Amino acid sequence: MENIKNLKSLAICFNLEDGLSPNREPTKRMLSAMDGMYLDNNALKNMIKEKDILVYEFYELGIPEDPGELAYGTTILYPGKIGDEYFMTKGHFHYKIDTAEIYYCLRGHGHLLMENAEGDIELREMTPGVSVYVPPKFAHRSINISDTEPFIMFFVFRADAGHDYKTIETKGFRKLIIEKNGKPIIIDNPKWKL
Ligand code: NI
């Protein structure tokens, strides 16, 4: 075991309560970074005027973007709503579109929404202990349906997959998760563009 410091392995702590790592800086997405992503953009703008709060944060650990490498980390999505729409991540396709991803829920209650270019939709409910396999070619977005708790997930994907945010920023997802009578429901996105 003497040579362990030459092994170039990594041991990184992600706290199970808040999902954060004590010695790494997460990437933060504030409300202002979500312009145009939600159904009610006026509600978003009014919220930003009041306070530009943190919607989610996630880790980019700087693993080399090579095909044999795996990128991983946690994503912490805070509770909140824009109008009737729950706080969510932007969502993305992978540039290398045939690469999959694994999510594992550590805390909270949310959904993972997935769709491919053909319009196939997958929606998975996540609570602590549930893992979801996001198949290749599916865009993916997480949605926090709790009023009080952060939705925290651990993720792993091929490090050279790359993130295509633009397609979703331009077109949106075909489906949205909104709250109706205190419950989450899935609806067609009226702003979705082909
Ligand atoms: Ni991904």
Side-chain angles (χ1 to χ4, degrees):
M1 294 301 282
E2 282 103 66
N3 290 328
I4 196 149
K5 55 177 179 286
N6 297 325
L7 282 175
K8 294 187 178 155
S9 63
L10 270 178
I12 295 172
C13 173
F14 295 104
N15 185 289
L16 290 169
E17 277 300 304
D18 61 15
L20 297 169
S21 188
N23 43 18
R24 299 279 177 149
E25 204 42 52
T27 301
K28 294 177 187 295
R29 294 266 191 265
M30 313 301 285
L31 276 177
S32 53
M34 302 297 284
D35 193 21
M37 303 299 297
Y38 291 93
L39 190 54
D40 189 345
N41 213 43
N42 284 332
L44 175 74
K45 285 193 187 313
N46 287 335
M47 277 179 78
I48 295 169
K49 254 184 245 163
E50 217 164 281
K51 197 174 182 217
D52 190 15
I53 60 168
L54 182 61
V55 181
Y56 64 102
E57 50 192 329
F58 59 97
Y59 286 93
E60 298 172 293
L61 299 176
I63 305 274
E65 294 181 8
D66 295 324
E69 301 275 2
L70 294 172
Y72 68 100
T74 51
T75 174
I76 303 111
L77 173 57
Y78 294 99
K81 273 184 293 185
I82 313 284
D84 296 326
E85 199 176 7
Y86 299 100
F87 274 15
M88 63 186 183
T89 61
K90 284 188 176 192
H92 58 264
F93 284 95
H94 293 162
Y95 274 126
K96 287 201 171 64
I97 197 147
D98 56 351
T99 56
E101 185 156 350
I102 304 283
Y103 281 89
Y104 182 68
C105 180
L106 302 175
R107 188 181 165 193
H109 191 191
H111 281 108
L112 203 60
L113 176 64
M114 297 158 270
E115 72 171 51
N116 64 10
E118 287 73 42
D120 301 314
I121 309 287
E122 296 276 326
L123 183 68
R124 295 290 180 179
E125 188 170 354
M126 297 189 78
T127 50
V130 175
S131 65
V132 168
Y133 175 72
V134 179
K137 299 182 181 165
F138 275 77
H140 36 286
R141 157 183 287 170
S142 27
I143 299 139
N144 186 350
I145 62 166
S146 166
D147 292 334
T148 52
E149 259 196 310
F151 179 35
I152 303 175
M153 291 192 297
F154 182 81
F155 60 83
V156 188
F157 61 92
R158 215 173 87 173
D160 67 336
H163 290 94
D164 166 18
Y165 290 107
K166 215 60 263 138
T167 304
I168 299 299
E169 282 170 354
T170 313
K171 298 169 61 162
F173 275 71
R174 287 169 170 85
K175 300 284 180 184
L176 299 175
I177 310 294
I178 63 162
E179 186 178 85
K180 197 176 179 192
N181 302 324
K183 289 210 172 89
I185 58 161
I186 185 164
I187 60 162
D188 289 329
N189 179 4
K191 286 160 82 177
W192 185 78
K193 299 184 198 81
L194 195 61

